[in-house]
Amino acid sequence: MLESLGSLSGTPWVYVVVSCSIVLDVFVPILPSGILVIAAATTSADAGSAAHAVGRVEAASVHDGAHLAGVFALLLCAATASVLGDMVAYRLAWRGGDRFDRAIGRSRRLTAAQRRLGTALSRGGGIVVVLARFAPAGRSVVSLGAGVAHRTVREFLPWSALAGLAWAAYSVSLGYFGGQWLGTSWVSTALSVAALLAAGSAAAFLMRRRPERPVTH
């Protein structure tokens, strides 16, 4: 994977591949969008380190600007694609509410998650949207659940944007600093992916532990 992304590094295609994966994994959560973001950031970091090793001071300084701009572009690309995927799923669930509602209703776990989401959003407690972005399949449940429950865009979109930015920043940082410290290697990627999975496990645990406060009238 690193070799494939490395060949695309520095071209617009790396952003296309990463964006498509992130948009689609709201419907197919098994797609490795987080791993792709980490791998892209890792190859970018390693390219920057190599430029410093072989370039003059002036050339390295110029390269630093372009290098950091590429990393920042990857972060914005990942965050934007995350929000776009959320909103597509949200709109589809809104329009096909009955069908999605029946699908969710067949699962006690999804029904409970949908109820917690609606309560949290209506109280401005959309931190559950941010946590769900890290939890396995949590993004799918949240986006589809918000659409089925007909939550307003004003309730859902700001939290989706914050969740996408937090997830993208964390994933890019893992890949970038892993590449800086360990270079482009399977060890660097494996450790970064392990850190991403650990964050997902922690988010899922926090979502389960969040108490449901009684609604006050």
Side-chain angles (χ1 to χ4, degrees):
M1 180 180 292
L2 287 177
E3 291 79 4
S4 300
L5 284 177
S7 64
L8 297 176
S9 183
T11 71
W13 286 109
V14 68
Y15 303 113
V16 174
V17 171
V18 169
S19 296
C20 289
S21 176
I22 294 172
V23 169
L24 293 175
D25 85 352
V26 70
F27 302 104
V28 188
I30 61 173
L31 287 177
S33 61
I35 298 176
L36 285 178
V37 172
I38 288 173
T42 299
T43 56
S44 179
D46 188 63
S49 299
H52 268 285
V54 301
R56 293 177 302 177
V57 174
E58 297 83 355
S61 298
V62 172
H63 187 275
D64 273 346
H67 168 62
L68 292 177
V71 173
F72 187 66
L74 177 64
L75 191 157
L76 287 182
C77 176
T80 301
S82 178
V83 176
L84 179 60
D86 287 356
M87 296 309 296
V88 169
Y90 165 81
R91 284 299 184 187
L92 287 176
W94 180 293
R95 293 177 181 177
D98 291 340
R99 181 172 54 188
F100 283 104
D101 202 23
R102 286 195 297 271
I104 291 176
R106 287 194 289 268
S107 169
R108 183 179 303 176
R109 182 179 179 183
L110 294 182
T111 300
Q114 181 187 16
R115 185 175 64 252
R116 288 197 299 270
L117 170 66
T119 302
L121 289 177
S122 64
R123 297 172 182 164
I127 190 65
V128 67
V129 178
V130 180
L131 290 174
R133 185 60 186 87
F134 290 84
R139 176 191 181 202
S140 303
V141 172
V142 163
S143 300
L144 295 173
V148 168
H150 286 192
R151 312 312 308 182
T152 66
V153 173
R154 190 192 311 187
E155 287 177 325
F156 180 62
L157 180 57
W159 290 105
S160 172
L162 179 60
L165 184 60
W167 175 83
Y170 183 70
S171 301
V172 170
S173 296
L174 287 177
Y176 179 77
F177 290 112
Q180 286 280 328
W181 296 332
L182 300 175
T184 304
S185 66
W186 70 268
V187 175
S188 170
T189 303
L191 289 177
S192 298
V193 170
L196 184 65
L197 294 177
S201 298
F205 174 77
L206 290 175
M207 289 178 68
R208 288 195 299 268
R209 292 295 299 270
R210 281 180 64 84
E212 291 188 45
R213 299 174 186 173
V215 178
T216 56
H217 300 282

